[in-house]
C-alpha cells in the first residue's frame, strides 16, 4: 500500500467514520480510512471518531492498533478525538481507567446523562471561526479539567467542550454531524496541511445530515 | 423540537456503525459481550433459539433483569418490545433504556398496527424484509433499521434474502424517472417523500444493520459485504460452545469484513457453532419474519 503524504486518516473500526471522510473531502483534504497499523504510515493526522468509547478501546487493544497509534504519535502524528475519541485520548477519565492518556485533560464520560440529554446548539469558538458554530452533542463527555499545556478552544457552562495541546485536538461534540467545516479546517492547519483559511462559521451549503451516506459501502 | 429529537436519534444510531450488537440473557453474558468488543447489547430473558424451542407468548423481558444488565456495562443497552405494544415501550423508556427494538421475535401484541414511534423520545430499531417495510418503519419514527432474517435459526439465508431484496428495490427506485416514483411508492407502500429521498441517496436514510440467523464470522462479513452498516447476533454467540471466542471473532470479522486473511484468522478454532435450522422446510406459522407488515 502506498502512503499518501499529507492525508488525514480516520480510524475505521467503528463509529462515525464516513461523516469525517465527507467533511475532509469538502475541505479538499485526502481522507483515508485506517483499519491497520501499516495504514498509519505517511499520515499528517489521525481522527479518532465518535462511536462507543468502551467498544473502541477494546477494538484498539484486541486488534493491536493501540501501540501503533502511540508509536505514530511519538513520531509526530497529530491526533483529533471527537466525542468517544476525546475520551480515549484523555489522561484522566473520572471514575474509570483512562486509555491512551496522551493529552492532559480529565473527561467525565456521559456527563450529560442519557440520550434524552443530547442536543444541538450554537456557540462561538474564537480561535476556530469568527461566527458562532452549530454544535451537536450526542451522549457527550465533559472536559472537567485541562492541564497546564492545554488550551481551551470552547468553554460552555461548567465545562470545556474543545481543547488542544501542541499536537492533539479534542472536541466533545461532533463537527462532522453539522454543516460546519471549521474544525476540520482547523485540524488540517494543525497538521501543517495547506488548506484555505476559514473566515466565518464555514458552513457548507451542500451538506445535509445524509451526506455521509455517499461514503457508505453501498450507496 | 420533535424533528430535532429524531435527528439526534438517527445520529446516535450512526455512531453504532461497524459494530456488533449481541443478545445477552444474564449479567455475565453482558460482561463477556462488552469484553469481546460489542458496541451494544440486547438484554433479553431468552434468546430467539429458546423462544422458538419453548413456544408460548414471548413478551418484553423483566425490567429488573434489563436494569441489572444496564448497571453492569458501559456500552448501550437495547431491549425488545412486542410489535404494537406501546405500553411495553413506555415502560422501557421510563427505565431509560438506550434503544427499543420493536421486534417480531416477540409475539406481536397488535396484528394491524406498529407502535407510533414518533411519540417517543428514545430511538427505536425495527426489522424489515424489503424496502417498503423499512420505509414504513422509518415513517413511523424508527431511527435505525435491521433485516429481519429468521431469528434463532443460525441460518443466514433469510437475512441475505432481505438485504438483497432491499438493495434490489433501492437500485430499481434510484433508476426511475420522477414520473414513475409515485407508482413505485404506491406498489411498495413507501411514503412518497421518503421514496424521493431514498432515490436520491441510493440507500436508506438511516443505518441498516444485519440481523436474524448470523452464526459465524463469515456470516457477519457476508452481511457487511452486502452493504449492512453493522450486525446483530442473537443466539449465534451464547448458543455456541465457546461464546467469548466466537464473540471476539464476529467482532473482528465485522470490522475487517473486506479482508479475507483476517476473516480466515477469525474463523479458525472457534469450536461448535450453534445448531442450525433449515428454513426452507419450516412451516409458515413457525416463521418469525412474517410478523409485522
Amino acid at each position: 500500500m502506498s502512503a499518501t503524504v499529507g492525508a488525514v486518516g480516520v480510524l475505521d473500526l467503528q463509529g462515525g467514520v464516513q461523516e469525517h471522510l465527507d467533511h475532509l473531502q469538502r475541505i479538499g483534504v485526502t481522507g483515508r480510512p485506517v483499519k491497520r497499523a501499516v495504514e498509519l504510515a505517511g499520515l499528517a493526522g489521525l481522527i479518532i471518531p465518535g462511536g462507543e468509547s468502551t467498544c473502541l478501546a477494546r477494538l484498539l487493544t484486541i486488534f493491536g492498533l493501540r501501540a501503533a497509534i502511540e508509536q505514530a504519535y511519538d513520531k509526530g502524528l497529530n491526533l483529533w478525538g471527537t466525542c468517544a475519541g476525546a475520551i480515549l485520548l484523555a489522561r484522566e477519565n473520572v471514575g474509570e481507567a483512562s486509555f491512551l492518556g496522551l493529552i492532559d485533560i480529565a473527561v467525565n464520560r456521559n456527563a450529560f446523562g442519557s440520550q434524552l440529554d443530547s442536543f444541538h446548539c450554537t456557540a462561538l469558538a474564537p480561535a476556530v471561526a469568527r461566527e458562532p458554530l452549530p454544535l451537536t452533542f450526542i451522549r457527550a463527555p465533559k472536559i472537567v479539567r485541562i492541564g497546564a499545556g492545554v488550551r481551551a478552544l470552547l468553554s460552555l457552562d461548567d465545562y470545556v467542550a474543545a481543547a488542544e495541546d501542541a499536537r492533539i485536538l479534542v472536541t466533545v461534540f461532533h463537527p462532522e454531524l453539522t454543516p460546519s467545516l471549521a474544525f476540520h479546517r482547523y485540524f488540517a492547519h494543525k497538521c501543517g496541511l495547506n488548506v484555505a483559511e476559514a473566515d466565518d462559521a464555514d458552513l457548507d451549503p451542500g451538506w445535509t445530515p445524509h451526506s455521509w451516506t455517499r461514503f457508505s459501502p453501498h450507496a | 423540537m420533535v424533528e430535532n429529537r429524531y435527528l439526534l436519534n438517527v445520529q446516535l444510531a450512526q455512531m453504532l456503525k461497524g459494530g456488533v450488537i449481541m443478545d445477552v440473557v444474564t449479567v455475565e453474558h453482558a460482561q463477556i459481550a462488552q469484553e469481546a468488543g460489542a458496541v451494544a447489547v440486547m438484554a433479553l430473558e431468552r434468546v430467539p433459539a429458546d423462544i422458538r424451542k419453548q413456544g408460548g407468548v414471548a413478551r418484553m423481558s423483566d425490567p429488573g433483569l434489563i436494569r441489572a444488565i444496564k448497571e453492569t456495562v458501559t456500552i448501550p443497552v437495547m431491549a425488545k418490545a412486542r410489535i404494537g405494544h406501546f405500553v411495553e415501550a413506555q415502560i422501557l423508556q421510563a427505565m431509560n433504556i438506550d434503544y427499543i427494538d420493536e421486534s417480531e421475535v416477540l409475539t406481536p401484541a397488535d396484528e394491524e398496527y406498529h407502535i407510533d414511534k414518533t411519540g417517543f423520545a428514545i430511538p427505536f430499531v425495527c426489522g424489515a424484509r424489503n424496502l417498503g417495510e423499512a420505509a414504513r418503519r422509518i415513517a413511523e419514527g424508527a431511527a435505525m433499521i435491521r433485516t429481519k432474517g429468521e431469528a434463532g435459526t443460525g441460518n443466514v439465508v433469510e437475512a441475505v434474502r432481505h438485504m438483497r431484496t432491499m438493495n434490489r428495490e433501492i437500485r430499481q427506485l434510484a433508476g426511475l424517472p420522477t414520473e414513475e416514483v409515485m407508482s413505485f411508492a404506491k406498489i411498495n407502500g413507501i411514503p412518497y417523500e421518503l421514496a424521493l429521498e431514498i432515490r436520491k441517496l441510493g440507500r436508506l436514510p438511516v443505518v441498516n444493520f444485519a440481523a436474524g440467523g448470523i452464526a459465524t464470522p463469515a456470516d457477519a462479513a457476508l452481511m457487511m459485504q452486502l452493504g449492512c452498516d453493522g450486525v446483530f447476533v442473537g443466539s449465534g454467540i451464547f448458543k455456541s460452545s465457546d461464546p467469548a471466542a466466537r464473540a471476539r471473532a464476529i467482532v473482528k470479522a465485522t470490522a475487517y469484513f473486506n479482508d479475507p486473511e483476517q476473516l480466515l484468522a477469525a474463523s479458525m478454532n472457534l469450536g461448535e457453532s450453534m445448531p442450525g435450522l433449515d428454513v426452507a422446510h419450516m412451516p409458515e406459522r413457525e416463521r418469525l419474519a412474517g410478523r409485522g407488515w
Side-chain angles (χ1 to χ4, degrees), chain A residues 12-19 35-36 50-52 54-55 58-59 62-63 65 96 109-110 114-120 136-139 174 176-177 207 209-210 212-213 216-219, chain B residues 4-5 7-9 11-12 14-19 34-39 74-76 96 98 121-123 167 197 201-205 207 225-227 229 248 251-252 255-257 259:
Chain A
D12 182 17
L13 297 181
Q14 190 276 307
V17 180
Q18 291 100 339
E19 292 84 345
K35 281 186 190 287
R36 300 163 190 81
E52 285 305 321
T54 309
C55 175
R58 291 298 305 143
L59 299 188
I62 294 169
F63 301 155
L65 274 162
E96 298 175 18
R109 195 177 60 83
N110 289 339
S114 71
Q115 170 65 358
L116 301 182
D117 304 296
S118 294
F119 60 98
H120 297 113
T136 299
F137 291 72
I138 295 183
R139 295 193 65 176
H174 293 271
E176 78 283 8
L177 297 180
W207 183 90
H210 300 127
W212 68 272
T213 60
S216 77
H218 225 75
Chain B
N4 193 16
R5 177 58 51 194
L7 177 58
L8 284 166
N9 285 345
Q11 291 176 326
L12 177 75
Q14 280 169 229
M15 293 302 137
L16 296 173
K17 290 200 305 291
Q34 176 166 282
E35 196 57 30
V39 74
T74 55
I75 54 178
N96 233 336
D98 295 302
I122 59 168
N167 287 341
E197 191 176 15
L201 296 176
R203 59 155 287 152
L204 295 182
V207 295
Q225 288 196 29
L226 285 173
D229 296 307
R248 263 198 313 278
V251 165
K252 184 172 195 180
Y256 295 100
F257 67 91
D259 184 336

Side-chain angles (χ1 to χ4, degrees), chain B residues 211-260:
Chain B
I214 290 139
T216 68
D219 289 348
L222 173 66
M223 296 309 297
M224 292 297 287
Q225 288 196 29
L226 285 173
C228 289
D229 296 307
V231 174
F232 283 85
V233 188
S235 320
I237 289 172
F238 290 99
K239 286 290 170 189
S240 72
S241 64
D242 188 348
R246 186 161 296 260
R248 263 198 313 278
I250 290 177
V251 165
K252 184 172 195 180
T254 304
Y256 295 100
F257 67 91
N258 256 335
D259 184 336

Side-chain angles (χ1 to χ4, degrees), chain B:
Chain B
M1 278 312 282
V2 171
E3 214 166 330
N4 193 16
R5 177 58 51 194
Y6 179 67
L7 177 58
L8 284 166
N9 285 345
V10 168
Q11 291 176 326
L12 177 75
Q14 280 169 229
M15 293 302 137
L16 296 173
K17 290 200 305 291
V20 180
I21 300 160
M22 302 181 190
D23 278 6
V24 298
V25 298
T26 65
V27 165
E28 292 71 31
H29 282 182
Q31 284 163 333
I32 291 169
Q34 176 166 282
E35 196 57 30
V39 74
V41 290
M42 179 77 70
L44 288 164
E45 276 170 356
R46 295 182 288 171
V47 293
D50 288 331
I51 291 174
R52 190 177 281 287
K53 207 181 297 171
Q54 294 160 9
V57 176
R59 313 177 180 91
M60 175 185 78
S61 297
D62 188 318
L65 169 77
I66 299 169
R67 173 157 290 162
I69 288 171
K70 208 163 156 20
E71 284 166 0
T72 304
V73 295
T74 55
I75 54 178
V77 178
M78 304 184 173
K80 291 183 191 289
R82 282 179 266 179
I83 288 174
H85 206 315
F86 53 86
V87 173
E88 285 186 349
Q90 288 164 3
I91 291 168
L92 291 171
Q93 175 161 279
M95 71 175 297
N96 233 336
I97 196 78
D98 295 302
Y99 295 79
I100 296 173
D101 181 8
E102 185 184 18
S103 178
E104 71 282 0
V105 168
L106 305 182
T107 311
D110 190 323
E111 295 193 330
E112 278 182 87
Y113 305 112
H114 282 253
I115 296 171
D116 169 19
K117 293 163 278 286
T118 63
F120 289 80
I122 59 168
F124 274 74
V125 52
C126 287
R129 288 167 297 177
N130 52 52
L131 185 58
E133 230 178 319
R136 291 191 292 278
R137 298 295 85 77
I138 292 167
E140 288 165 356
M144 175 176 183
I145 295 295
R146 56 171 176 75
T147 62
K148 283 184 170 172
E150 193 54 44
T153 61
N155 188 339
V156 78
V157 65
E158 294 301 307
V160 168
R161 188 192 317 282
H162 300 161
M163 193 58 194
R164 282 207 181 271
T165 302
M166 276 190 247
N167 287 341
R168 185 174 56 248
E169 290 169 344
I170 289 170
R171 280 195 305 272
Q172 284 170 354
L173 175 55
L176 294 181
T178 310
E179 70 270 22
E180 295 184 14
V181 173
M182 183 61 90
S183 286
F184 184 90
K186 180 191 170 192
I187 291 164
N188 291 281
I190 303 173
Y192 182 64
E193 296 300 325
L194 205 45
L196 289 176
E197 191 176 15
I198 293 166
R199 172 168 167 260
K200 192 169 72 187
L201 296 176
R203 59 155 287 152
L204 295 182
V206 302
V207 295
N208 185 14
F209 273 44
I214 290 139
T216 68
D219 289 348
L222 173 66
M223 296 309 297
M224 292 297 287
Q225 288 196 29
L226 285 173
C228 289
D229 296 307
V231 174
F232 283 85
V233 188
S235 320
I237 289 172
F238 290 99
K239 286 290 170 189
S240 72
S241 64
D242 188 348
R246 186 161 296 260
R248 263 198 313 278
I250 290 177
V251 165
K252 184 172 195 180
T254 304
Y256 295 100
F257 67 91
N258 256 335
D259 184 336
E261 289 197 10
Q262 295 276 7
L263 296 177
L264 169 63
S267 300
M268 278 200 266
N269 304 320
L270 294 179
E272 289 285 309
S273 53
M274 71 176 282
L277 290 175
D278 177 21
V279 184
H281 299 102
M282 183 179 282
E284 202 57 43
R285 65 187 156 74
E286 288 179 21
R287 297 190 186 205
L288 305 178
R291 299 166 166 181
W293 24 93

Side-chain angles (χ1 to χ4, degrees), chain A residues 114-182:
Chain A
S114 71
Q115 170 65 358
L116 301 182
D117 304 296
S118 294
F119 60 98
H120 297 113
C121 71
T122 59
L124 185 64
V128 178
R130 281 179 213 157
E131 298 292 322
L133 302 169
L135 304 172
T136 299
F137 291 72
I138 295 183
R139 295 193 65 176
K142 287 180 177 179
I143 299 170
V144 293
R145 179 188 67 75
I146 58 173
V150 177
R151 172 166 85 129
L153 295 171
L154 176 61
S155 297
L156 297 167
D157 303 329
D158 61 342
Y159 64 98
V160 173
E164 66 173 354
D165 67 12
R167 297 203 356 255
I168 298 179
L169 174 65
V170 283
T171 56
V172 302
F173 47 86
H174 293 271
E176 78 283 8
L177 297 180
T178 75
S180 175
L181 306 176

